[in-house]
Amino acid sequence: MRILILGGDGYLGWAQSLYLSSKGHDVFIFDNLMRRHFDLEHNFSSLLPIATLQERVKAWKEISGRQIQFRIGDTTDYEAIAAVFREFQPEAVVHFAEQRSAPYSMIDRKHAVFTQVNNVVGTLNVLYAIKEFTPACHLVKLGTMGEYGTPNIDIEEGFIEIHHKGRSDILPYPKQPNSFYHLSKVHDSHNIMFCCKIWGIRSTDLNQGIVYGFETDETVLDPRLATRMDYDQVYGTALNRFCIQASVDYPLTVYGQGQQTRGYINLRDAIRCIELAIASPAQEGEYRVFNQMTEQFSLIELAEMVVKQAQEVGLHARMVHVANPRVEAEEHYYNAAHTRLIDLGLEPHLLSGSVLQSLINLAITQREHIDPELIVPTVNWRTTKNEVVHTNDGVSE
Ligand code: NAD
Ligand code: USQ
């Protein structure tokens, strides 16, 4: 199939592009490189060195004989994104191209506005481009489990049956997100559902949990094919950060009480889920939602698992409770349904001691490059003056 990958230079998008290309699909990447610009402006970097997009694509051609096309462009620029739909005529589009960090979106007003404009306008442009140039194209959109928040009832996959005053209906599951970033995904979901209804677009909204892991069958073929490895306070996510912290005996940073429970998924499963969604597309006019996670853990459970595995390889890992920089429930009920991808054939790689050890061992190979200052959380949900960004990083007023 002709598959357009928006955000194909990012952590997930690059691994996804390689995987789909390896399966014989015709892959086209569209990315504005904003993630790399953020690193350059703030002196952050992926712990595993990553090649430029041009070098990556060239290396993949050398190694696999397969061509991945790419174009540098921004989804908020309608002419740029429309041109790709018009020329490439994708049969499926996988949309990763958003500002995806909750802390980034909570730095200050500028970063909140940037996050929501980038994500909501970009997605709206994609919807219009599909309508205008490829109405049969299946939109596979990355949402987030964080759209639901932490309600005191089971989380369903997108919709819930409500009985009210003698009547009943199946309605979108209530959304209670915890950051301006997570809110941007809620706004996207509403726009996508509406466009499916009015224009007959077909779409799968993947409410994905926190992804962990850095290696796939393709990324390990050559160092130039590596994908991002983020551990900083803005883009690093919980389990990835814990493994990298353990590799340098840095105390694992559990925010607050640590009973915050979230859905998690291995990188290998994340890319397989998208292949499954593409292989069984939504029907014309259908807006469907899958919860893309395979397990749920509290932060303390994760930290304890990482500490145990790190100690087995001779490290002195331990956890600390850091004052929570976020405003979020620290003790809550959590039980999220996640059967629809299993029904399509997903065979999950569950979190095990050996998976954790391989993550820690990979981090050990890079540990002399870890900058402990980047680990410390300085973005605080309660203040409007955060420290991480004090330069002009291209976010316009
Ligand atoms: P990432 O930041 O590594 O990659 C996103 C890519 O999109 C980057 O290469 C960036 O340059 C590009 N991009 C951003 N805005 C763009 C725009 N306007 N036009 C063109 N390109 C743009 O993030 P990731 O971790 O790979 O996440 C990909 C998607 O998956 C995001 O939508 C994110 O919200 C979602 N997601 C990620 C996780 C996770 O744990 N990483 C979990 C759930 C959902
Ligand atoms: N946390 C810690 N210590 C850390 C980092 C985080 O205790 O060092 C806590 C946070 O307070 C939070 C939980 O871990 O309770 C998850 O935080 P995270 O940074 O791992 O994940 P989050 O901010 O939710 O965002 C990430 C991705 C985002 C994606 C989301 C999926 O950056 O793109 O949408 O995971 S989900 O969490 O299911 O919404």
Side-chain angles (χ1 to χ4, degrees):
M1 287 173 73
R2 288 184 304 282
I3 304 178
L4 175 59
I5 311 278
L6 307 176
D9 187 48
Y11 167 52
L12 302 177
W14 176 242
Q16 189 74 53
S17 300
L18 290 178
Y19 179 71
L20 291 173
S21 177
S22 77
K23 299 284 175 181
H25 295 292
D26 187 0
V27 171
F28 192 121
I29 289 175
F30 183 85
D31 197 299
N32 66 357
L33 309 184
M34 69 153 258
R35 182 67 195 81
R36 291 180 188 258
H37 289 148
F38 180 85
D39 281 357
L40 288 170
E41 281 154 9
H42 301 291
N43 207 22
F44 285 19
S45 66
S46 162
L47 190 54
L48 269 179
I50 51 168
T52 65
L53 180 53
Q54 288 82 349
E55 287 162 352
R56 287 175 150 182
V57 165
K58 190 161 166 254
W60 178 240
K61 177 85 193 295
E62 272 170 36
I63 289 158
S64 70
R66 297 180 192 281
Q67 181 77 50
I68 293 179
Q69 300 178 69
F70 70 92
R71 188 171 299 173
I72 309 303
D74 196 313
T75 54
T76 63
D77 173 353
Y78 186 66
E79 295 313 318
I81 188 70
V84 175
F85 276 89
R86 193 172 51 236
E87 292 162 26
F88 183 58
Q89 291 287 312
E91 293 158 281
V93 51
V94 189
H95 181 10
F96 293 103
E98 299 206 323
Q99 191 304 100
R100 71 103 171 127
S101 157
Y104 178 104
S105 75
M106 300 304 292
I107 291 171
D108 58 15
R109 186 194 63 78
K110 277 198 315 185
H111 292 80
V113 170
F114 174 78
T115 300
Q116 294 212 352
V117 170
N118 185 64
N119 297 0
V120 178
V121 172
T123 298
L124 204 46
N125 281 342
V126 170
L127 287 162
Y128 266 95
I130 292 174
K131 172 183 181 272
E132 195 170 355
F133 300 109
T134 55
C137 175
H138 176 204
L139 170 62
V140 178
K141 166 66 169 55
L142 274 295
T144 175
M145 285 302 291
E147 291 188 34
Y148 303 117
T150 51
N152 200 29
I153 56 171
D154 287 0
I155 293 172
E156 305 301 333
E157 298 200 60
F159 295 88
I160 183 168
E161 188 170 354
I162 306 272
H163 300 273
H164 183 62
K165 295 184 178 172
R167 302 183 66 80
S168 63
D169 203 350
I170 294 174
L171 297 170
Y173 195 94
K175 307 289 174 70
Q176 303 182 77
N178 279 330
S179 73
F180 288 121
Y181 152 71
H182 287 97
L183 273 157
S184 75
K185 296 284 191 183
V186 174
H187 306 327
D188 283 342
S189 292
H190 288 148
N191 285 343
I192 298 167
M193 188 167 73
F194 179 67
C195 292
C196 289
K197 187 167 73 179
I198 58 170
W199 297 331
I201 285 177
R202 51 184 88 222
S203 179
T204 305
D205 204 350
L206 294 171
N207 283 341
Q208 183 168 246
I210 302 165
V211 184
Y212 61 88
F214 306 102
E215 294 186 329
T216 66
D217 290 352
E218 296 76 34
T219 63
V220 296
L221 292 173
D222 187 286
R224 292 168 297 169
L225 299 180
T227 198
R228 301 194 60 87
M229 189 174 189
D230 293 315
Y231 67 97
D232 61 81
Q233 57 136 337
V234 176
Y235 279 97
T237 52
L239 181 52
N240 286 344
R241 266 167 70 84
F242 288 168
C243 292
I244 293 167
Q245 290 166 354
S247 75
V248 278
D249 294 338
Y250 190 101
L252 275 47
T253 52
V254 172
Y255 295 168
Q257 291 179 43
Q259 295 300 340
Q260 299 94 306
T261 302
R262 300 285 185 272
Y264 289 81
I265 184 166
N266 189 303
L267 175 62
R268 290 174 189 271
D269 290 340
I271 61 179
R272 168 76 173 136
C273 285
I274 287 172
E275 181 189 31
L276 290 169
I278 291 171
S280 304
Q283 301 299 306
E284 189 179 326
E286 183 186 8
Y287 168 75
R288 61 182 189 179
V289 180
F290 298 162
N291 290 347
Q292 185 162 306
M293 54 173 274
T294 56
E295 296 173 276
Q296 60 180 58
F297 299 101
S298 72
L299 289 163
I300 288 197
E301 284 172 326
L302 283 183
E304 281 173 353
M305 283 191 270
V306 173
V307 166
K308 179 168 180 283
Q309 296 306 322
Q311 287 175 347
E312 281 185 20
V313 296
L315 297 162
H316 302 289
R318 65 194 189 286
M319 71 170 98
V320 285
H321 289 270
V322 176
N324 197 339
R326 304 187 185 197
V327 176
E328 60 185 0
E330 292 179 11
E331 238 175 325
H332 57 87
Y333 177 79
Y334 199 84
N335 186 30
H338 51 93
T339 55
R340 298 195 65 184
L341 284 156
I342 302 280
D343 293 345
L344 287 181
L346 177 68
E347 291 170 18
H349 295 77
L350 297 179
L351 190 59
S352 62
S354 62
V355 169
L356 285 173
Q357 286 211 354
S358 75
L359 282 172
I360 295 166
N361 284 331
L362 184 65
I364 287 173
T365 66
Q366 303 298 323
R367 68 179 162 190
E368 72 272 24
H369 304 299
I370 294 175
D371 177 353
E373 279 192 21
L374 298 187
I375 294 176
V376 184
T378 63
V379 179
N380 192 304
W381 266 224
R382 294 167 185 83
T383 169
T384 51
K385 278 209 177 300
N386 280 306
E387 292 163 27
V388 66
V389 174
H390 29 69
T391 60
N392 178 1
D393 60 351
V395 175
S396 55
E397 283 286 344

